[in-house]
Amino acid sequence: MDYESAVNSLYSLQTLTASAILSNGAKRQDTVKIMREYMDRLQIPYDNQGDNTNDQGGNTNEDIGDKEDNTEENKHDRKVNKTNTNRNIKIIHITGTKGKGSTSAFTESLLRVAHSCNTGMFTSPHLCTPRERIRLNGKPVSEEEFAEGYWEVYRILEEKKDHNKSTFPSLPPHPTYFRYLTLLSLYIFHNHRFPPSPQPLHIILEVGLGGRYDATNVYTGNSASAICTLDLDHTRVLGNTLEKIAREKGGIIKRGCRTWVVEGDYGPMNIIKECADEVGGEVSIVSNVNSIVGGYSLGLKGDFQACNAALALLMVRDLMGTSYGGREGKALEETRWPGRCQRVERGGRTFLLDGAHTGKSMEVCMEWFKKETGKEGQGGRRNVLIFNCSHERNPVELLSLIKRGATFSTVLFARADSERPSAVARPTASELLGGGAAEGEGGGGGGTWQDTLREVYEGIEPKGGGGGEVAAVGSVKEALELVGEEHVNVLCTGSLYIVGSVLDKIGWEEESAGYEHVTRGGKS
């Protein structure tokens, strides 16, 4: 089946009803053991307790047993083999509230460019296509390989649906959306035919939510792990203090593995150290980041990226047991991570896109925006804002920072083309402005969420639209039509979903990974 049918099938696995979302949330403590059961069915190994050393043994894809031939009857087995191609694998697990995607990107580039490693990287969410979540040597997996892997995983899980039935009597044949994507990424990483390399394959896994009970936390051992900057986010699930959130993030720490942690407040740092002590892990704190990466030019814009780059650099140096100054600088400079402080030129329009969705991240977004654009009207250009955020966020904080940070002649609140399902009731503007529903405990009102955002923006001091146009629109397409083709700076922010929708509509896309090294799936 083709790529489009695979994506449609994938989206059908999303949990959309409030009751189902709440039910899954209540059972999230079972996520890891459920994921391991699915991995057993797919014959993907996860018991790598001893793989936390700096063993440099490589994989040339020549150790898979029987040699291939080119006969017609072996045509299918060139893509789908009965054993995993990649046996020597190192796992790097990365969590945090802010910067984990950028840190993953820096880590991947350092391993590939500075150390000549083959890499697989799994991140979330995607911007324009789910293929972006699964990267092979820095590039999104191709449509053909995604589709082939998707349907192989689907077939195997269907065939093995009665496996271990006594332990998992009610386990559905196919997991939900994020779990399936995680499994698909691991299946592709373990079976993709990478170019020969003297180094092991390095898999970088970005946590989806929290860490301790996340679907990515499936391996018994990591070769390295990192915890990026902590902030209050997803508090209904992870807890409403930094200490509670730190315990969730600290759940990725493994015995004998060093975890690199961005320096933070004493309370959360102490919790992370406790998590390490409980399992026999090690913690190294990253501080004075400018002294670590101050001499490098970073490919990701924004002053805050120095923290993410330093974290990745120290972790990779420790993991590989060496450093290559010139090649490290090249790797950091060549790092790209779409949707984070990204600038795209389209004719007379300059799009400045950042998926900031917490107070701290919005502060740095606005600082970056001001550096990129200067004052309103400078060079005859005006500023336009396209904004959307989840109704689980507190838009008052985000929009206050935007309103204080820059002047916009046009402010457009647009619905993204896709969004994360939520079981939380939508608050009204009056509830938000009154401070009574900072995280969405309201009745939603009669209009759309974008209408609510417009009312909130106009109700924030200084009240009104600042003399410009403020409107709620039904789609990104409509917002872009209102922006027009004139010389403008367009800030798009509030979530990665709105950023992805804008990138898709302006025709931006990434080059895919090549398919000359085909997927080799595990038949059972």
Side-chain angles (χ1 to χ4, degrees), residues 464-484:
E469 176 188 7
V470 181
V473 297
S475 67
V476 167
K477 181 176 182 292
E478 185 179 348
L480 292 175
E481 289 172 352
L482 291 173
V483 170

Side-chain angles (χ1 to χ4, degrees), residues 1-9 143-144 146-148 150-151:
M1 296 187 185
D2 61 13
Y3 172 71
E4 185 177 352
S5 64
V7 172
N8 290 337
S9 176
E143 290 187 359
E144 184 182 0
F146 183 99
E148 182 179 273
Y150 181 89
W151 291 116

